[in-house]
DNA sequence: CATCAGATCTGCT
DNA sequence: GCAGATCTGATGG
């Protein structure tokens, strides 16, 4: 069942609202072969722009890397980190601010075999053949491997029909409050009061959520 | 299961 | 130089 592509209006919401509403939506990636890769968004984090010490744009920093965060809501912000990994965000509202939502985990639903291959070809050793479904997209860099997301997708306008990556809303609607768990964001240090501010959102009880589990 | 080193890019000091 | 929105395989309990 195919959903409806999320609109500019949808993305033009404050990051903590968008992060919550993205849970249950589907991230879709169209490869050049035409193949669709997709997963249900089960974990997100909100980044609150220039005032947020954990944001790449804290204090108004504007660099070639983080330029996409300043663009229209719905713009993909893909950055490279730790010398190895890509992470994917969506620019959030309001227009003109550098707010964003980090996609942290997916539950794979389409063409899982291809996603497994994309993950495996970077792995070595005995565990390479034992990639479980719950390990495919259970982290921001993992899902970028599985969906072949890299800096070439940075700046993509996900509202555009031309975009090779986008988000769909399912007809079944969003999650109820009881299905959502909230906690502090992952991997932050020295971010002052923002270190513990609860801006991480996840689908309760979902095995595909990254560590530490909420 | 918990902890840790290593991978080695980007932006700031 | 160094820390960082991370992941992996190895090691020890």
């Amino acid at each position: 069942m195919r959903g409806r592509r999320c609109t500019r209006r949808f993305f033009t919401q404050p990051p903590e609202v968008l992060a919550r509403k993205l849970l249950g939506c589907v991230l879709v990636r169209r490869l050049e072969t035409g193949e669709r890769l997709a997963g249900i968004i089960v974990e997100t984090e909100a980044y609150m722009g220039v005032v947020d010490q954990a944001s790449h744009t804290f204090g108004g920093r504007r660099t070639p890397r983080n330029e996409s965060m300043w663009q229209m809501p719905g713009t993909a912000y893909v950055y490279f980190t730790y010398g190895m990994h890509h992470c994917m965000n969506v620019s959030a509202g309001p227009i003109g601010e550098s707010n964003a939502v980090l996609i942290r985990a997916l539950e794979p639903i389409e063409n899982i075999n291809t996603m497994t291959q994309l993950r495996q070809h970077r792995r070595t050793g005995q565990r390479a053949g034992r990639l479980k479904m719950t390990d495919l997209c259970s982290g921001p860099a993992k899902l970028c491997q599985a969906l072949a997301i890299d800096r070439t997708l940075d700046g993509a306008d996900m509202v555009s029909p031309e975009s090779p990556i986008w988000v769909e809303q399912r007809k079944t609607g969003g999650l109820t409050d009881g299905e959502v768990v909230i906690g502090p964001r992952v991997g932050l240090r020295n971010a002052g009061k923002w270190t513990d501010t609860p801006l991480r959102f996840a689908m309760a009880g979902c095995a595909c959520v990254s560590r530490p589990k909420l």
Side-chain angles (χ1 to χ4, degrees):
Chain A
M1 179 169 75
R2 216 146 109 176
R4 185 168 129 260
R5 190 181 290 233
C6 292
T7 62
R8 183 81 66 204
R9 181 180 176 80
F10 177 75
F11 290 115
T12 310
Q13 301 186 79
E16 76 281 12
V17 175
L18 182 60
R20 160 73 178 76
K21 291 188 180 177
L22 278 169
L23 295 180
C25 292
V26 178
L27 181 64
V28 186
R29 164 82 163 112
R30 181 172 43 74
L31 299 178
E32 297 200 7
T33 60
E35 186 174 16
R36 269 173 62 114
L37 307 177
I40 300 167
I41 298 173
V42 299
E43 182 183 354
T44 58
E45 282 178 359
Y47 284 82
M48 311 296 286
V50 299
V51 300
D52 181 354
Q53 292 178 66
S55 169
H56 290 165
T57 65
F58 173 63
R61 282 194 296 268
R62 189 164 184 160
T63 68
R65 179 170 77 153
N66 70 31
E67 178 60 28
S68 295
M69 270 203 282
W70 297 89
Q71 299 305 311
M72 289 293 281
T75 303
Y77 168 48
V78 181
Y79 70 90
F80 193 55
T81 191
Y82 291 105
M84 294 217 54
H85 297 301
H86 295 279
C87 295
M88 175 171 176
N89 302 249
V90 192
S91 174
I95 292 171
E97 296 191 13
S98 60
N99 303 330
V101 175
L102 172 69
I103 314 290
R104 281 197 61 88
L106 307 175
E107 178 183 322
I109 52 171
E110 283 187 46
N111 289 308
I112 294 170
N113 286 344
T114 301
M115 294 166 73
T116 304
Q117 286 170 21
L118 284 164
R119 288 269 290 128
Q120 277 183 164
H121 90 275
R122 291 210 198 178
R123 294 161 59 109
T124 57
Q126 303 193 340
R127 304 174 76 91
R130 300 186 182 180
L131 198 44
K132 289 178 296 191
M133 238 253 303
T134 51
D135 288 329
L136 259 191
C137 297
S138 55
K142 291 178 182 177
L143 72 89
C144 284
Q145 284 180 27
L147 299 203
I149 295 169
D150 60 25
R151 284 281 287 172
T152 62
L153 295 178
D154 179 58
D157 181 1
M158 298 205 288
V159 169
S160 163
E162 312 297 311
S163 176
I165 188 161
W166 66 93
V167 179
E168 291 180 358
Q169 252 173 331
R170 289 185 297 177
K171 291 182 180 175
T172 51
L175 304 184
T176 65
D177 285 345
E179 295 172 316
V180 178
V181 280
I182 305 175
R185 294 173 292 182
V186 178
L188 306 187
R189 289 185 305 174
N190 308 321
K193 69 170 185 179
W194 296 95
T195 307
D196 301 310
T197 304
L199 290 170
R200 180 189 184 198
F201 302 82
M203 196 177 294
C206 179
C208 295
V209 168
S210 73
R211 287 186 168 162
K213 303 286 185 192
L214 273 170

